[in-house]
Amino acid sequence: MQLYIGNKNYSSWSMRPWVLLRQFGMAFDEVMVRFDSFEAGSTFKTTLAGLSPTGKVPLLVDDGGLVVWDTLAMAEYLAERHPEHALWPRDARQRARARSLCAEMHAGFTGLRSRCPMNIEASLPEIGAQMLAEHPAVQADLDRLVAMWSAALADSGGPFLFGTFSIADAYFAPVVARLRTYALPVPPVVADWMAQVWAAPGVAAWVAEALAERDFLDFEEPYRSGR
C-alpha cells in the first residue's frame, strides 16, 4: 500500500489513516506531497493529478490500482483487509457507536475546524481563549466533543474511547492536537484520554515527524507570521 499525505504539521486528514496504519503495524509506503499551493498548476495538484479524483490528500493506493480517497472509507477498507486487528471494536453495539462518532467528526465540528486549524508545532492558548469568547460555534463544538468522549469513556472504562486503541481514537487524534495547540479546557477524564492518545506509538511517531518538518507555510497560518 501507498499512502499519500500532506505536511504532518498541518494535515489533519492525512494524520488519521497514517496513525492507524502505524499504530497497528500495517506495512505501507508513505508518499509525502508538500503543501506548496492548492492552485491548479501547483506541484501539489500536479503530483496528485491522475491519481486522486478530488486532488486532495490523504490518498490510499493498494495493489491492482485500487484508489481510496476518503478517510472513513480507508478505515473500513483496512478493517476488512486486516481482520486480525480490532480496528473497530469487536462488540457490534460498540462498533456501531464508534462508527457514529467517526461519522459525526467526518461531517461536523466546522466551527472548531475552521477557527482552530491543526498546527502541531504551535502553542496558541491566547487564540484559543479568543475563539471561545468570540465564536459560540467553537464552544458548542467543544461541549459536544467533551460529551461524546466522556460518555464513551464512562461506558468502556478507558483508557481509550472503546477500551483499546481503535479507529475512533485515530480519527480524533487531530482534534486532540487542536485542543493542545489552543489550550481548550476539558475535564480531567478527557484530559487523561488525550494524554493516552498523544502517547500512543502511532500518534507519537506522527507528532515527532511533524515537529521535525520545520516547514512554515503562511497560507496554513492564520495566526502567525513566522515561527
Side-chain angles (χ1 to χ4, degrees):
M1 287 186 290
Q2 290 181 313
L3 182 67
Y4 289 74
I5 64 169
N7 290 57
K8 290 189 173 76
N9 190 51
Y10 303 111
S11 187
S12 59
W13 291 104
S14 297
M15 185 180 185
R16 294 178 168 98
W18 193 99
V19 162
L20 192 63
L21 287 159
R22 186 68 173 266
Q23 179 73 20
F24 285 92
M26 293 178 278
F28 72 103
D29 294 322
E30 173 191 313
V31 183
M32 201 281 214
V33 187
R34 181 179 180 269
F35 289 155
D36 61 333
S37 167
F38 301 126
E39 298 299 321
S42 66
T43 300
F44 177 80
K45 289 294 187 181
T46 302
T47 301
L48 294 174
L51 289 172
S52 168
T54 62
K56 298 178 181 179
V57 290
L59 184 72
L60 184 69
V61 180
D62 203 356
D63 294 340
L66 173 68
V67 175
V68 187
W69 62 90
D70 177 85
T71 53
L72 269 180
M74 290 176 199
E76 294 288 4
Y77 176 70
L78 293 172
E80 292 179 357
R81 190 171 188 250
H82 292 278
E84 71 275 16
H85 299 306
L87 301 188
W88 290 117
R90 299 291 192 196
D91 178 77
R93 294 174 67 88
Q94 291 288 72
R95 190 161 61 250
R97 186 175 183 181
R99 284 180 165 131
S100 296
L101 264 64
C102 291
E104 186 173 346
M105 180 67 242
H106 199 269
F109 302 102
T110 54
L112 178 67
R113 285 158 55 184
S114 62
R115 301 292 179 180
C116 300
M118 191 173 88
N119 191 334
I120 290 173
E121 178 272 332
S123 177
L124 301 167
E126 69 287 352
I127 298 298
Q130 180 184 349
M131 293 301 106
L132 288 175
E134 297 180 358
H135 300 283
V138 176
Q139 184 66 66
D141 284 352
L142 179 62
D143 291 344
R144 174 58 189 146
L145 287 165
V146 167
M148 68 160 60
W149 291 339
S150 298
L153 290 165
D155 190 51
S156 71
F160 295 103
L161 290 175
F162 295 92
T164 59
F165 193 97
S166 72
I167 289 168
D169 300 286
Y171 221 76
F172 284 106
V175 184
V176 172
R178 285 177 161 95
L179 267 56
R180 289 174 57 91
T181 293
Y182 299 93
L184 302 185
V186 296
V189 66
V190 171
D192 290 346
W193 166 74
M194 288 172 56
Q196 291 285 343
V197 169
W198 209 244
V203 176
W206 176 278
V207 171
E209 294 181 24
L211 295 176
E213 281 180 346
R214 305 196 63 80
D215 187 12
F216 185 89
L217 302 177
D218 56 0
F219 57 86
E220 293 281 5
E221 295 272 1
Y223 306 119
R224 303 192 301 176
S225 58
R227 294 181 59 165

